[in-house]
Amino acid sequence: MNPPEKRHAATAQVASVTALSPAGTATALLPLPAEPGPFRWSTRLIADRGAGANARLRARPRLTVCGWPGNVDAAARVIGHLADNAARHGQPFHDGKIVVRLIAHPGTSELRIEVDDARPDFPDFEQVANQSHETRPAPTGLSWAAHYRGTVSWDVKRDDDGADIGKTVQVILPATWDGSA
């Protein structure tokens, strides 16, 4: 068995990879694209007391697999608080769920976290959005976004006819603590 360094170096020289199908015949795998596209993931969560924990548990492996270079645990914490706030202070859609989306683009290294709920307003948004990252005592709720140098915003969500159907709360989270890539 080759040490990890040799295995890695040997696979880097191979132009195409061959795999065996169940019948034992060789098939060539398609090459990976040179430039990966943006990572996108979305799910619907039941809007209950477990929404935040559910969002954290589902988001953490996806951020790891997509190779987001930032602090995955910090991002999972922010995602959990956004989902928890939507479940507690927002309103679920007609199916009793909220929507969570993650979008990470390799070009910017930023993570866009979005949570939709059916309540079209956001009372006290200015107070939430203008919190310092130096919140004392320990941050709670959406102040975790500020703690991790994220930017919080929101907008009314409308259907195709222009009717208000809820809102989207968004956090842009940098890959590093100082906001630089």
Side-chain angles (χ1 to χ4, degrees):
M1 181 166 169
N2 290 338
E5 306 82 52
K6 288 186 179 180
R7 273 193 311 226
H8 180 66
T11 57
Q13 297 171 2
V14 176
S16 66
V17 178
T18 303
L20 293 178
S21 67
T25 59
T27 51
L29 298 177
L30 296 174
L32 294 173
E35 188 67 32
F39 165 79
R40 294 175 174 269
W41 175 74
S42 177
T43 192
R44 299 180 70 80
L45 302 174
I46 296 172
D48 62 7
R49 290 186 350 205
N54 195 353
R56 278 192 310 277
L57 290 172
R58 290 179 180 218
R60 189 175 278 124
R62 275 128 182 122
L63 290 171
T64 301
V65 168
C66 87
W68 184 61
N71 184 329
V72 171
D73 290 328
R77 179 174 280 170
V78 172
I79 293 161
H81 284 294
L82 281 175
D84 184 57
N85 283 352
R88 290 177 50 210
H89 305 295
Q91 179 181 343
F93 289 103
H94 61 84
D95 60 356
K97 296 181 179 181
I98 58 173
V99 178
V100 176
R101 276 184 304 283
L102 301 176
I103 303 158
H105 197 283
T108 64
S109 296
E110 292 179 330
L111 176 65
R112 188 167 77 195
I113 304 164
E114 295 180 343
V115 177
D116 299 343
D117 70 73
R119 184 176 177 177
D121 64 337
F122 193 142
D124 302 322
F125 174 75
E126 295 301 321
Q127 178 184 355
V128 171
N130 291 320
Q131 295 182 44
S132 167
H133 65 272
E134 298 172 357
T135 304
R136 300 287 187 262
T140 59
L142 290 182
S143 62
W144 279 106
H147 179 73
Y148 292 123
R149 312 308 193 267
T151 305
V152 181
S153 61
W154 77 283
D155 200 3
V156 174
K157 187 170 184 64
R158 293 184 170 86
D159 65 11
D160 294 336
D161 297 326
D164 295 353
I165 59 169
K167 71 174 168 295
T168 300
V169 178
Q170 180 185 83
V171 171
I172 305 291
L173 205 56
T176 61
W177 279 86
D178 64 0
S180 64

